[in-house]
Amino acid sequence: MSDRSSTSNRAHRILVLGGARSGKSAFAEVLAAEGGPVRYIATAIPDPADLDFAERIARHRDRRPADWIVLESADPATVLTAAPPAGTTLIDDIGTWLTARIDAREAWDAPRGTIAPDTDALVAAVTAYPGRLVIVTPEVGMGVIPATRSGRLFRDEIGTLNQRLAQTCDEAFLIVAGLPLRLK
């Protein structure tokens, strides 16, 4: 229905949502590259024992152009409060950032809202960011209800955070089977 060529040059905050293996990161990388130099905020915190996740990270690294500035395991709220570079900042992805924040606060069994200071800081940083920004985030609430409390916690927290980010972003896309659908 829509494609990246119709992305407004004036839009400076773009949210890209999608499920696992939907093509959301690849789509966001193309959008980012269209805006000049790219600063890439990779939010994943690798676990050396998780070989599958290490392979996923390696595929992302291999796909990135050599001239991109990459900040690994970075906190996007902290990075966004610094002066923006020329070009585009790409955050990939909010789901791994959220997982790391829940881990850091040991909040998997804590009452809901324990990570609110982190999500509030992220939304405030995105809202105030004056540069061009592309944000990748998983859309996870469209399927089976998770059987575990931690699964439900993640689904609920990412759903609420995605809504907040979508409100502050100028554009939003849902990626399904590699195809972008403009939401806003």
Side-chain angles (χ1 to χ4, degrees), residues 37-42 64-71 85-86 88 90:
V38 176
R39 175 176 65 176
Y40 187 107
I41 303 172
R64 291 181 210 139
D67 63 336
W68 285 12
I69 298 168
V70 179
L71 305 173
T88 301
L90 170 61

Side-chain angles (χ1 to χ4, degrees), residues 53-64:
F53 195 52
E55 287 177 23
R56 288 172 185 254
I57 291 171
R59 282 193 298 273
H60 277 252
R61 284 181 181 143
D62 291 345
R63 192 170 64 211
R64 291 181 210 139

Side-chain angles (χ1 to χ4, degrees), residues 9-31:
N9 289 332
R10 292 177 297 159
H12 68 275
R13 288 183 301 258
I14 305 167
L15 186 64
V16 179
L17 303 108
R21 296 287 186 249
S22 63
K24 63 187 177 293
S25 292
F27 179 80
E29 290 165 3
V30 170
L31 286 178

Side-chain angles (χ1 to χ4, degrees), residues 1 8 15 21 26 30 42 58 64 68 105 134-135 137 149 151 163 169 180 183-184:
M1 176 168 173
S8 167
L15 186 64
R21 296 287 186 249
V30 170
R64 291 181 210 139
W68 285 12
R105 290 192 178 270
V134 178
I135 305 167
T137 189
R149 183 187 190 288
Q163 289 181 56
C169 285
L183 302 175
K184 136 182 190 181

Side-chain angles (χ1 to χ4, degrees), residues 23-171:
K24 63 187 177 293
S25 292
F27 179 80
E29 290 165 3
V30 170
L31 286 178
E34 291 173 352
V38 176
R39 175 176 65 176
Y40 187 107
I41 303 172
T43 63
I45 299 176
D47 175 356
D50 188 342
L51 299 179
D52 176 65
F53 195 52
E55 287 177 23
R56 288 172 185 254
I57 291 171
R59 282 193 298 273
H60 277 252
R61 284 181 181 143
D62 291 345
R63 192 170 64 211
R64 291 181 210 139
D67 63 336
W68 285 12
I69 298 168
V70 179
L71 305 173
E72 299 266 348
S73 304
D75 175 26
T78 302
V79 174
L80 294 179
T81 58
T88 301
T89 295
L90 170 61
I91 302 171
D92 194 1
D93 98 349
I94 298 302
T96 54
W97 171 82
L98 180 64
T99 299
R101 296 313 313 143
I102 295 171
D103 284 346
R105 290 192 178 270
E106 299 179 352
W108 291 106
D109 293 316
R112 304 272 192 215
T114 301
I115 61 163
D118 299 305
T119 57
D120 290 348
L122 176 64
V123 171
V126 167
T127 301
Y129 190 69
R132 188 165 186 273
L133 180 62
V134 178
I135 305 167
V136 177
T137 189
E139 181 57 53
V140 299
M142 300 172 82
V144 176
I145 296 172
T148 63
R149 183 187 190 288
S150 60
R152 290 186 300 275
L153 171 74
F154 180 82
R155 179 212 48 207
D156 293 350
E157 293 290 346
I158 197 72
T160 300
L161 181 55
N162 284 348
Q163 289 181 56
R164 293 177 68 196
L165 290 171
Q167 287 178 350
T168 196
C169 285
D170 303 300
E171 289 187 299

